[in-house]
Amino acid sequence: MQVSSLNEVKIYSLSCGKSLPEWLSDRKKRALQKKDVDVRRRIELIQDFEMPTVCTTIKVSKDGQYILATGTYKPRVRCYDTYQLSLKFERCLDSEVVTFETLSDDYSKIVFLHNDRYIEFHSQSGFYYKTRIPKFGRDFSYHYPSCDLYFVGASSEVYRLNLEQGRYLNPLQTDAAENNVCDINSVHGLFATGTIEGRVECWDPRTRGRVGLLDCALSSVTADSEINSLPTISALKFNGALTMAVGTSTGQVLLYDLRSDKPLLVKDHQYGLPIKSIHFQDSLDLILSADSRIVKMWNKNSGKIFTSLEPEHDINDVCLYPNSGMLLTANETPKMGIYYIPVLGPAPRWCSFLDNLTEELEENPESTVYDDYKFVTKKDLENLGLTHLIGSPFLRAYMHGFFMDIRLYHKVKLMVNPFAYEEYRKDKIRQKIEETRAQRVQLKKLPKVNKELALKLIEEEEEKQKSTWKKKVKSLPNILSDDRFKVMFENPDFQVDEESEEFRLLNPLVSKISEKRKKKLRLLEQQELREKEEEEEPEGKPSDAESSESSDDEKDWVEEVRKQRRLLQQEEKVKRQERLKEDQQTVLKPQFYEIKAGEEFRSFKDSATKQKLMNKTLEDRLKLEAKNGTLSVSDTTVGSKQLTFTLKKSEQQKKQQEAEKLHRQERKTLRRSAGHLKSRSRRGRLFH
């Protein structure tokens, strides 16, 4: 059970808490109640008091024994017996229910208005009869003296169905395009219908003629209310013979005396949502009005708020249990809300134990957890000199500190620091002095980075403030006060380099734009002072003066940019001359390179020629190789060209070839010498 309080009025929510699934066995439910504290502490006033998905309407029978509710999905009606605190029966329907009414004191005669134009009658045993109306219905009322049902909906006619004769009667023709709600006064039988145009038409069922017309849309507009559309009538309720309350689609409730066309009181919900239901509470002269978000209870004489109730989910319907303080709500959730407000009245007879329960809770109010304890850290204990109490019953460890009795804390605090009040007084005086200092004139404090830019922005802001032409100039946010650009005036990396080429080229443009802006402000001020609303040309000045001035400004800007470019070129030339002088003055020292082991030194000239050769085109390289003999081009029989390449030889290969050539030559000489010797020996033999 959840308890809330507003204006010292306690509201007990009896439907909050966890709900157990229906498919759980009794054994598992008992086990869950033992384990879970929330399940054990919940109050299930009526068993299975919920819908599968959403509850749309809820009502109490005239004898107070049965609570009937409709919802989805699938469309159904459930009847709960309050004497048994359980579900009496459940009946599924063909379509969703717009609203319903019990014609008898119990559930034996019920009429349902469906959203598909059907009207369904149920008896004690179940479905009895079904008929249809010409247009979609939105609400209906039952006139007991004549046994007539009055249906209003998306039509200008009010359909009448006589239950005694079992046939439709001639409808009532209204001046409205559509009708939203209707109600019948139980004292004198006056029938009233609320239209989509924001009017209330009153009819006499005996003569079937209109006897009054109220324009509630015009009366609902007050000085404090904000209305964006035409108010339509969304709720209507009679109380007694002369009082009527009307709810609008814009969230206003109008209280009327039937003898006057002016409302006695207009109450605004301040949410702008349509009023869904209105109820009267006669014992305290209260009116309960509800929209989809909140239920407000206010005094019908003064309009002063008594209390309010705001469930977690949207409200579809509200029902006040007669002669009690119990309130039932149909919400956009499976659970239906049950609230008990003891100030409105006693608990119903079938749950009288609620009075005893609430009285016990009020007599023994639960104090807030740790109200009598003070949380202190270990550092606080050291300052108070109470570290020796750690581990004793005076301190209870909790998270990163301890809980100690608040009375002990105050005593020790007073003993340790007897001048605490003096310190508190000094702090208050210092705060007052700082507040007065803030009202003094403050000097401009420029940031450390980009001081020139900050000063320029401050001056521009001051010029805008001083300018009398403030209304037409669009106000832009100041960069100095914007957190996105804060780093630009704090981090030295964002310092503007005024010597850079980009800044010097852009500076003439920026300065020219600022001058144009100042000039435009001056012209606008002059135009405002002259108060010339019509577009006229100034005397003594031709119409093309503005264009000539703009062209002059452009010429000046171009000259300034050219001047800066010439200066930059001169500076670049001076820098190149200085670098050339430095290069001439420097003495070049020889650089030594180490050759890897196993490699021979090659002249830099060969590498340079090789690099040059690689930079040439393919055609040039082919011509060069053809000259050197490493390439031969010849024509074939087919007519195409044939290229023959001779690979270049490395130094080692050349040496090896030279060595082989020398070896071959030596062998040849040896052979020749051997041949000469043989021939000589032969000749010697012949001579001998």
Side-chain angles (χ1 to χ4, degrees):
M1 183 169 59
Q2 186 178 2
V3 185
S4 61
S5 178
L6 181 65
N7 292 340
E8 298 182 355
V9 178
K10 289 192 175 182
I11 302 173
Y12 296 89
S13 177
L14 307 177
S15 58
C16 68
K18 295 182 179 180
S19 58
L20 297 176
E22 297 179 359
W23 44 266
L24 281 180
S25 62
D26 294 338
R27 184 177 180 181
K28 289 186 177 180
K29 287 181 180 179
R30 288 194 296 269
L32 278 175
Q33 288 177 359
K34 290 180 181 178
K35 293 179 181 178
D36 200 336
V37 180
D38 295 335
V39 175
R40 188 166 62 249
R41 289 182 178 178
R42 70 191 179 100
I43 296 176
E44 193 175 11
L45 193 62
I46 300 175
Q47 188 179 2
D48 298 332
F49 195 67
E50 58 185 13
M51 281 287 170
T53 307
V54 173
C55 181
T56 55
T57 55
I58 185 168
K59 294 183 186 295
V60 180
S61 62
K62 293 178 177 62
D63 58 1
Q65 183 179 353
Y66 302 101
I67 299 174
L68 291 98
T70 60
T72 56
Y73 175 81
K74 299 178 180 181
R76 67 192 66 204
V77 57
R78 286 184 175 180
C79 179
Y80 297 90
D81 191 349
T82 56
Y83 291 172
Q84 302 297 327
L85 298 178
S86 61
L87 180 66
K88 178 75 173 177
F89 64 84
E90 178 185 14
R91 297 173 187 170
C92 289
L93 306 171
D94 294 335
S95 58
E96 294 184 11
V97 177
V98 178
T99 184
F100 71 96
E101 188 71 41
T102 56
L103 305 183
S104 60
D105 292 340
D106 54 3
Y107 66 91
S108 58
K109 294 179 183 179
I110 311 173
V111 183
F112 296 98
L113 175 62
H114 294 275
N115 61 355
D116 57 354
R117 296 193 292 152
Y118 274 102
I119 302 162
E120 198 168 314
F121 296 88
H122 282 235
S123 63
Q124 189 172 4
S125 58
F127 171 76
Y128 181 74
Y129 184 73
K130 181 189 288 188
T131 184
R132 205 172 188 184
I133 58 176
K135 299 288 184 179
F136 290 97
R138 295 175 182 173
D139 197 8
F140 74 94
S141 295
Y142 181 60
H143 188 247
Y144 282 90
S146 61
C147 296
D148 289 343
L149 282 171
Y150 289 80
F151 295 94
V152 297
S155 174
S156 60
E157 296 179 341
V158 179
Y159 305 109
R160 295 190 301 148
L161 177 62
N162 188 272
L163 300 183
E164 185 180 4
Q165 302 177 21
R167 67 186 182 91
Y168 283 101
L169 305 178
N170 292 331
L172 304 178
Q173 183 65 43
T174 63
D175 294 338
E178 296 178 2
N179 296 281
N180 290 334
V181 291
C182 64
D183 193 23
I184 294 177
N185 194 303
S186 59
V187 178
H188 46 66
L190 184 68
F191 172 75
T193 174
T195 67
I196 198 172
E197 289 85 3
R199 297 188 182 94
V200 175
E201 295 188 13
C202 298
W203 294 73
D204 189 352
R206 298 170 297 180
T207 61
R208 296 184 299 280
R210 192 175 69 185
V211 295
L213 180 65
L214 291 174
D215 192 353
C216 302
L218 186 61
S219 303
S220 64
V221 179
T222 59
D224 301 332
S225 60
E226 295 182 1
I227 296 174
N228 298 324
S229 60
L230 179 67
T232 61
I233 307 302
S234 59
L236 189 64
K237 188 72 174 177
F238 281 107
N239 182 41
L242 300 174
T243 307
M244 180 181 67
V246 180
T248 64
S249 60
T250 53
Q252 288 86 24
V253 180
L254 295 86
L255 188 64
Y256 281 94
D257 190 320
L258 293 180
R259 296 168 293 185
S260 174
D261 60 347
K262 303 294 181 183
L264 301 174
L265 188 66
V266 179
K267 184 68 177 177
D268 196 349
H269 270 221
Q270 304 294 337
Y271 282 107
L273 300 173
I275 303 297
K276 297 215 169 184
S277 66
I278 300 174
H279 295 275
F280 288 89
Q281 213 279 342
D282 296 327
S283 61
L284 296 177
D285 290 336
L286 298 178
I287 295 178
L288 282 74
S289 55
D291 55 22
S292 60
R293 186 175 296 180
I294 193 170
V295 180
K296 286 194 175 184
M297 307 174 198
W298 44 281
N299 190 283
K300 67 179 182 180
N301 298 319
S302 62
K304 186 179 179 181
I305 192 73
F306 179 72
T307 188
S308 62
L309 173 64
E310 194 169 357
E312 295 180 2
H313 305 278
D314 290 346
I315 302 170
N316 290 327
D317 193 15
V318 175
C319 176
L320 183 63
Y321 198 92
N323 303 321
S324 73
M326 182 169 286
L327 193 70
L328 307 173
T329 61
N331 306 323
E332 287 284 332
T333 183
K335 269 193 175 183
M336 292 176 277
I338 304 176
Y339 300 92
Y340 177 51
I341 307 171
V343 182
L344 297 182
R349 185 175 55 183
W350 49 272
C351 57
S352 57
F353 61 88
L354 288 177
D355 290 328
N356 300 330
L357 184 63
T358 54
E359 286 176 4
E360 290 177 3
L361 291 174
E362 289 178 0
E363 289 175 1
N364 303 318
E366 294 183 2
S367 59
T368 310
V369 182
Y370 305 125
D371 265 354
D372 299 330
Y373 291 88
K374 172 71 176 177
F375 181 80
V376 291
T377 61
K378 193 171 182 180
K379 188 176 181 181
D380 296 335
L381 291 177
E382 291 176 356
N383 296 334
L384 296 174
L386 298 178
T387 52
H388 61 282
L389 294 180
I390 296 175
S392 65
F394 294 102
L395 295 177
R396 295 187 178 184
Y398 183 77
M399 293 179 68
H400 62 283
F402 305 89
F403 275 109
M404 66 182 300
D405 195 287
I406 192 69
R407 294 169 295 180
L408 176 62
Y409 175 79
H410 286 314
K411 286 182 181 179
V412 176
K413 184 82 173 175
L414 187 62
M415 292 172 63
V416 172
N417 192 4
F419 302 103
Y421 175 74
E422 292 295 331
E423 294 179 359
Y424 171 76
R425 184 169 171 272
K426 289 179 181 179
D427 292 339
K428 283 292 181 183
I429 293 171
R430 187 173 64 255
Q431 290 177 5
K432 291 288 184 183
I433 293 171
E434 290 177 356
E435 289 176 0
T436 55
R437 284 177 179 172
Q439 299 174 358
R440 298 178 184 176
V441 179
Q442 296 181 355
L443 297 175
K444 296 179 184 177
K445 291 185 178 180
L446 296 176
K448 297 180 180 179
V449 183
N450 291 327
K451 292 184 180 181
E452 294 80 4
L453 179 60
L455 184 60
K456 181 180 178 182
L457 294 172
I458 292 171
E459 290 176 355
E460 289 180 356
E461 190 69 23
E462 289 177 354
E463 288 178 1
K464 287 181 183 179
Q465 292 177 358
K466 291 177 182 178
S467 175
T468 58
W469 207 78
K470 291 180 183 177
K471 298 179 181 177
K472 297 183 181 179
V473 178
K474 186 178 179 181
S475 60
L476 297 174
N478 192 3
I479 298 178
L480 290 171
S481 58
D482 199 336
D483 293 337
R484 296 175 296 176
F485 303 97
K486 185 172 63 176
V487 186
M488 192 170 69
F489 300 99
E490 295 178 356
N491 194 346
D493 295 337
F494 291 93
Q495 178 67 42
V496 177
D497 188 8
E498 297 184 359
E499 299 297 328
S500 62
E501 181 180 353
E502 293 81 3
F503 180 81
R504 292 178 63 178
L505 291 175
L506 282 174
N507 191 35
L509 177 62
V510 175
S511 60
K512 188 60 66 177
I513 290 173
S514 62
E515 288 177 4
K516 281 186 179 181
R517 185 172 59 252
K518 292 177 183 178
K519 189 175 181 180
K520 188 176 180 181
L521 287 172
R522 287 197 298 270
L523 290 173
L524 291 173
E525 288 177 2
Q526 293 174 5
Q527 186 178 1
E528 187 70 17
L529 292 172
R530 292 172 186 171
E531 296 181 353
K532 290 185 178 181
E533 296 182 357
E534 299 179 355
E535 295 180 1
E536 297 179 358
E537 294 183 359
E539 296 181 1
K541 189 174 182 179
S543 59
D544 59 343
E546 187 72 23
S547 60
S548 63
E549 287 182 1
S550 61
S551 61
D552 293 340
D553 294 340
E554 289 178 359
K555 290 179 181 178
D556 296 340
W557 172 70
V558 171
E559 290 295 332
E560 185 68 24
V561 172
R562 287 177 179 173
K563 183 180 177 182
Q564 292 293 334
R565 283 191 180 278
R566 286 196 295 269
L567 290 174
L568 288 171
Q569 290 175 0
Q570 290 177 3
E571 291 178 0
E572 187 66 25
K573 187 176 180 181
V574 171
K575 288 180 180 178
R576 285 200 302 269
Q577 291 177 358
E578 291 178 355
R579 285 199 297 270
L580 185 60
K581 288 181 181 180
E582 290 179 358
D583 294 341
Q584 291 176 356
Q585 291 176 1
T586 54
V587 179
L588 297 177
K589 295 181 180 180
Q591 294 182 355
F592 298 95
Y593 298 93
E594 184 179 356
I595 300 173
K596 292 183 180 180
E599 292 186 1
E600 295 182 358
F601 173 72
R602 296 177 183 177
S603 64
F604 295 106
K605 187 176 180 181
D606 295 340
S607 61
T609 54
K610 187 177 181 180
Q611 187 67 28
K612 288 181 181 179
L613 184 62
M614 292 301 295
N615 292 333
K616 290 184 178 181
T617 60
L618 178 62
E619 184 181 1
D620 297 338
R621 290 203 301 269
L622 291 175
K623 289 179 180 179
L624 186 62
E625 289 177 357
K627 287 181 181 180
N628 297 333
T630 58
L631 176 67
S632 63
V633 182
S634 61
D635 295 331
T636 61
T637 57
V638 184
S640 59
K641 295 285 186 181
Q642 181 178 355
L643 298 177
T644 306
F645 293 92
T646 304
L647 297 177
K648 290 184 178 181
K649 298 177 181 179
S650 61
E651 296 293 333
Q652 292 181 357
Q653 290 177 349
K654 288 180 179 180
K655 290 180 180 180
Q656 188 175 358
Q657 287 179 358
E658 290 177 358
E660 290 177 356
K661 190 176 181 180
L662 292 172
H663 182 65
R664 285 197 296 272
Q665 289 178 356
E666 289 177 356
R667 290 180 66 182
K668 284 180 181 180
T669 53
L670 288 173
R671 287 174 185 167
R672 287 176 183 173
S673 60
H676 287 300
L677 291 173
K678 285 182 180 179
S679 61
R680 286 178 183 176
S681 62
R682 285 176 185 173
R683 289 175 183 174
R685 289 175 186 171
L686 290 173
F687 287 127
H688 289 292

